[in-house]
């Protein structure tokens, strides 16, 4: 039963993370909404969660800051009870061809996308062990499976998340905690809205289902992975990409 349990969703102020928060709230989960700085957007997500009849608290926290993540995980457990579902969704891009990509562009993307997830896993680990139950879902990307010109940093971070997922899945499986990754394709959010129309058209042409995905498409799969029905899936990577990476 997901009803009444707590989910922590990073990057839940906007886009895919918001859709995940709202979808989990529909299952009765209370949601800790973690975001970087956009308080108005986070409050809007929280309002949606409350309208679904669940509890929501907003927490501003840079996922790349390990000390801040440690303090946050303690605070969430104290204010909302043990974290049953951890969804590592916060992510950024700093796209450039590798020759122009500075070390700081590489590090910033790895720090948020990959180390951010590791920090949350590390600081919820003992809580999961105590519960002997729970779900971790990491939001990777098809780019982590296929690579993409101009996204060496992003692809490395998303491929890294897959290795992280499988390793933690093996560590936590004996206690009945599942750890999976979702690999979205081209999803219509703020992250992709910045692309020129011509680039979007070219990308859409490569998608067998011939449309961009929605944040809702991804949220449905994450909700399934957090459900009791997904109890025998662990260490998997589920593409939600309209067939793009097959
Ligand atoms: P988005 O619309 O750009 O939203 C990004 C979210 O992450 C926001 O909630 C933002 O908070 C938060 N965030 C960014 N940096 C953070 C930090 N350092 N600490 C805490 N929170 C931070 O992104 P999206 O498109 O929904 O993407 C969500 C995830 O899906 C990302 O991991 C992305 O890589 C992945 N993904 C997206 C697509 C796509 O096509 N959109 C495809 C594959 C995978 P603020 O609102 O406070 O800034």
């Amino acid at each position: 039963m997901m009803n009444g349990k707590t989910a922590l969703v990073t990057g839940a102020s906007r886009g895919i993370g918001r859709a995940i928060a709202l979808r989990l709230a529909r299952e009765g989960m209370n949601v800790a909404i973690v975001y970087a700085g956009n308080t108005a957007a986070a409050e809007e997500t929280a309002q949606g969660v409350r309208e679904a009849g669940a509890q929501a608290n907003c927490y501003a926290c840079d996922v790349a800051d390990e000390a801040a993540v440690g303090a946050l995980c303690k605070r969430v457990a104290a204010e909302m009870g043990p974290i049953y579902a951890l969804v590592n969704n916060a992510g950024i891009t700093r796209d450039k061809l590798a020759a122009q990509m500075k070390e700081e562009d590489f590090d910033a993307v790895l720090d948020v996308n990959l180390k951010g997830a590791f920090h949350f896993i590390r600081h919820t680990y003992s809580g999961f062990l105590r519960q002997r139950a729970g779900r971790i879902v990491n939001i990777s990307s098809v780019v982590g499976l296929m690579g993409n010109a101009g996204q060496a940093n992003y692809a490395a971070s998303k491929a890294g998340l897959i290795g992280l997922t499988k390793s933690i899945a093996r560590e936590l499986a004996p206690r009945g905690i599942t750890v999976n990754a979702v690999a979205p394709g081209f999803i219509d959010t703020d992250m992709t809205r910045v692309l020129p129309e011509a680039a979007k058209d070219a990308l859409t042409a490569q998608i067998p289902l011939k449309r961009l995905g929605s944040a809702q498409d991804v949220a449905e799969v994450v909700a399934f992975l957090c459900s009791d029905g997904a109890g025998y899936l662990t260490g998997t990577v589920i593409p939600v990409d309209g067939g793009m990476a097959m």
Side-chain angles (χ1 to χ4, degrees):
M1 281 283 288
M2 298 157 88
N3 193 21
K5 290 184 174 141
T6 297
L8 184 153
V9 183
T10 69
S13 47
R14 294 184 279 126
I16 293 170
R18 172 183 284 179
I20 292 168
L22 297 177
R23 184 64 186 78
L24 294 178
R26 267 175 45 205
E27 300 297 329
M29 294 195 90
N30 301 321
V31 189
I33 294 161
V34 179
Y35 67 104
N38 196 337
T39 304
E43 285 299 338
E44 220 175 286
T45 305
Q47 187 58 32
V49 168
R50 291 179 194 124
E51 279 164 15
Q55 292 169 29
N57 285 348
C58 297
Y59 302 95
C61 173
D62 178 1
V63 301
D65 179 343
E66 173 162 27
V69 170
L72 176 72
C73 290
K74 283 204 184 85
R75 201 178 142 201
V76 171
E79 292 178 0
M80 303 186 73
I83 296 161
Y84 177 81
L86 166 66
V87 182
N88 286 306
N89 164 80
I92 58 168
T93 52
R94 284 213 191 165
D95 300 352
K96 283 184 183 81
L97 293 174
Q100 275 97 48
M101 191 178 281
K102 297 202 174 80
E103 188 180 359
E104 67 204 51
D105 298 319
F106 195 86
D107 288 347
V109 170
L110 268 287
D111 284 351
V112 173
N113 298 8
L114 181 56
K115 283 176 74 180
F118 173 66
H119 296 330
F120 272 94
I121 289 168
R122 221 170 80 70
H123 288 284
T124 53
Y125 202 102
S126 57
F128 277 120
L129 291 182
R130 274 196 299 278
Q131 288 181 76
R132 292 183 165 271
R135 302 278 188 252
I136 300 176
V137 181
N138 296 317
I139 306 300
S140 177
S141 167
V142 285
V143 168
L145 299 168
M146 302 168 74
N148 196 20
Q151 290 199 305
N153 49 0
Y154 185 79
S157 73
K158 294 298 183 179
L161 272 177
I162 293 172
L164 179 70
T165 299
K166 293 185 183 210
S167 302
I168 306 299
R170 289 182 186 278
E171 289 186 22
L172 294 180
R175 299 288 182 110
I177 297 131
T178 69
V179 187
N180 293 288
V182 171
F186 186 29
I187 310 297
D188 185 21
T189 68
D190 291 347
M191 190 177 268
T192 48
R193 268 173 217 140
V194 295
L195 294 172
E197 281 307 314
K200 282 192 203 176
D201 290 346
L203 272 164
T204 309
Q206 294 170 37
I207 302 170
L209 286 176
K210 294 292 172 222
R211 68 168 175 89
L212 268 60
S214 66
Q216 193 63 38
D217 290 326
V218 181
E220 293 296 339
V221 176
V222 174
F224 168 66
L225 287 172
C226 292
S227 73
D228 292 349
Y232 203 56
L233 275 84
T234 200
T236 59
V237 184
I238 304 186
V240 183
D241 64 355
M244 199 175 159
M246 71 179 157

